[in-house]
Each structure stands twice: as structure tokens, then as C-alpha cells.
């Protein structure tokens, strides 16, 4: 029997075969630059590249006081305190290195300029003992710089200079301020000097009770002179901290 043809369908006995007519679907074009995520479907961003974290800086201990090579290398590498230790070696000389005060001064000055309180104190000491005499007032400038950098000894040394009027104007009030600053930090020598000022009423209002408390504190912090001043007869010695 002849199949019955109607449009796109062919009818035969027992079987119906459907054949799609018309043009084949066109391939999808790639998404344009203006396409949105709804047009393109959900697209996950590419994962960020994994970068290794930088290794922490290697701990480097200060050089030993007799390690000429280690201190020299450390100073050359910019470790300021190694420069100070190297300067001490050149200042005292001995078996390790030949005495070289100008080199020591150069090292102390460079370290002080770089923020080393110890470098400033070492340089100030050279002015104090007369090794350096080009500018005596530099002694107090250096001690105050060390004090401002947090060195208690710098504050005490500067305070004594103002108290004695050595190379600077006499200023017991400012000396008391410096002693108070570091006594509160627990410096025994500063407490002793401040106690003396309260005992005499020099730079501060006279206050014997305050003076005794400061002498006692100096004693408790381990300064024998504070104990003797607090109790000259030695009958009662305050417990030390």
C-alpha cells in the first residue's frame, strides 16, 4: 500500500515514523562581552594562585664582647648594638684588637645617630671623663638623648649634670624631674638622688617623710647606700624586693 504523506509525517501500516523538517538548529554563539551571569549561567571564578608566605626573619643574637669577627660582621650588616660592642672593643684594646679610640668614637656616634641609647651613653661617657673635649656640653645632650630613648642611666647622668651645673646651667628642678621619671621605673640610684633632694628641699619642697620613703625604696631595690641613708644606725633594714 502506498504510504499516506502529509507534511512531515509518513504513515505506514503498523508503524508511524515522524521525520522533522526544516533547517537544523544553528550552533550557539560564544557569549558576548556584555553577557550577564544569567545569560551565561553560573561561572565560578578561577581560584587565586597560591603564594608561599615569606619565611620569618632569622633570629640573630648580639655578638659576644670578645668576638671581633662576629661584631664586625654584625655591624656591617646594620645591627646597631653590634657596632656599640665593637666600639667598646676598640676603646679598651687588648689581645683581641688594637686600641683605636677614634674608631670607637666613630662607632658610638654612628650607633647613637641610629637610635642606640647605649651608643649615646658610651659617647657621653667619653665627654664626661675628658677623653673628648671638642664640645663639653655634648655630654649632657648625649645623656638626654639616651634618656629619651628609654635608658635609665642616661636620665640619671643628665640629672646629676643639671644638679651640679656641670657644662650646663644649674637646674635642680629639672634634675628632680629626671630622677622622678626613672625612680618610678624602679631605678634605685634615681630614688636615692631624689630622696636627697626632698631631704634638703633642693629643687623640690622639703619633705623628710618623702625622703625616707625614697631612701627605703632605693634600699629595697638593692642599693646599699639607700639602706644606710634610710637607717644610718643599721638597726632596721627594710626587706629588699
Amino acid at each position: 500500500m502506498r504510504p499516506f504523506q502529509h507534511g512531515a509525517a509518513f504513515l505506514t501500516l503498523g508503524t508511524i515514523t515522524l521525520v522533522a523538517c526544516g533547517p537544523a538548529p544553528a550552533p550557539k554563539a560564544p557569549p558576548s562581552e556584555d553577557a550577564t551571569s544569567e545569560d551565561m549561567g553560573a561561572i565560578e571564578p578561577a581560584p587565586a594562585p597560591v603564594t608561599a608566605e615569606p619565611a620569618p626573619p632569622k633570629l640573630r643574637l648580639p655578638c659576644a664582647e670578645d668576638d671581633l669577627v662576629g661584631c664586625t660582621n654584625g655591624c656591617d650588616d646594620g645591627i646597631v648594638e653590634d657596632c656599640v660592642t665593637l666600639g667598646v672593643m676598640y676603646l679598651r684594646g687588648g689581645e683581641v684588637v688594637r686600641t683605636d679610640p677614634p674608631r670607637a668614637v666613630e662607632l658610638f656616634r654612628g650607633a647613637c645617630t641610629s637610635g642606640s641609647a647605649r651608643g649615646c651613653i658610651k659617647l657621653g661617657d667619653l665627654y664626661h671623663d675628658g677623653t673628648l673635649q671638642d664640645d663639653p656640653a655634648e655630654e649632657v645632650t648625649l645623656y638626654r638623648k639616651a634618656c629619651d630613648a628609654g635608658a635609665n642611666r642616661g636620665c640619671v647622668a643628665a640629672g646629676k649634670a643639671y644638679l651640679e651645673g656641670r657644662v650646663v646651667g644649674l637646674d635642680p628642678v629639672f634634675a628632680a624631674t629626671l630622677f622622678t621619671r626613672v625612680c618610678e621605673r624602679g631605678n634605685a640610684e634615681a630614688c636615692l638622688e631624689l630622696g636627697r633632694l626632698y631631704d634638703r628641699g633642693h629643687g623640690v619642697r622639703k619633705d623628710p617623710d618623702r625622703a625616707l620613703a625614697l631612701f627605703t625604696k632605693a634600699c629595697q631595690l638593692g642599693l646599699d647606700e639607700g639602706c644606710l641613708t634610710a637607717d644610718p644606725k643599721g638597726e632596721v633594714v627594710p626587706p629588699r624586693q
Side-chain angles (χ1 to χ4, degrees), residues 13 38 52 68 75 96 103 118 169 179 184 195 206 218 234 240:
L13 290 176
E38 294 180 356
L68 177 61
C75 185
V96 177
R103 176 60 175 152
R118 189 164 69 107
F179 294 148
E184 291 175 350
K206 187 178 178 68
R240 295 189 174 183

Side-chain angles (χ1 to χ4, degrees), residues 58-120:
K58 186 177 181 181
L59 178 63
R60 185 166 182 175
L61 297 176
C63 65
E65 294 183 356
D66 58 353
D67 184 2
L68 177 61
V69 174
C71 290
T72 300
N73 291 339
C75 185
D76 290 342
D77 290 342
I79 301 178
V80 178
E81 293 307 316
D82 283 3
C83 296
V84 180
T85 304
L86 184 61
V88 173
M89 295 172 67
Y90 278 110
L91 187 63
R92 72 182 178 210
E95 297 179 358
V96 177
V97 66
R98 179 176 56 84
T99 304
D100 190 348
R103 176 60 175 152
V105 170
E106 179 185 8
L107 289 165
F108 294 153
R109 197 176 299 280
C112 179
T113 301
S114 297
S116 168
R118 189 164 69 107
C120 294

Side-chain angles (χ1 to χ4, degrees), residues 228-240:
L228 294 173
T229 309
D231 182 22
K233 294 182 181 180
E235 296 175 352
V236 179
V237 179
R240 295 189 174 183

Side-chain angles (χ1 to χ4, degrees), residues 191-192 194-202 204-217 229-231:
C191 294
L192 176 65
L194 186 60
R196 287 171 173 164
L197 294 183
Y198 276 102
D199 188 50
R200 302 195 306 265
H202 188 48
V204 294
R205 185 175 61 182
K206 187 178 178 68
D207 188 340
D209 292 337
R210 174 67 173 152
L212 180 59
L214 288 165
F215 294 148
T216 302
K217 183 176 181 178
T229 309
D231 182 22

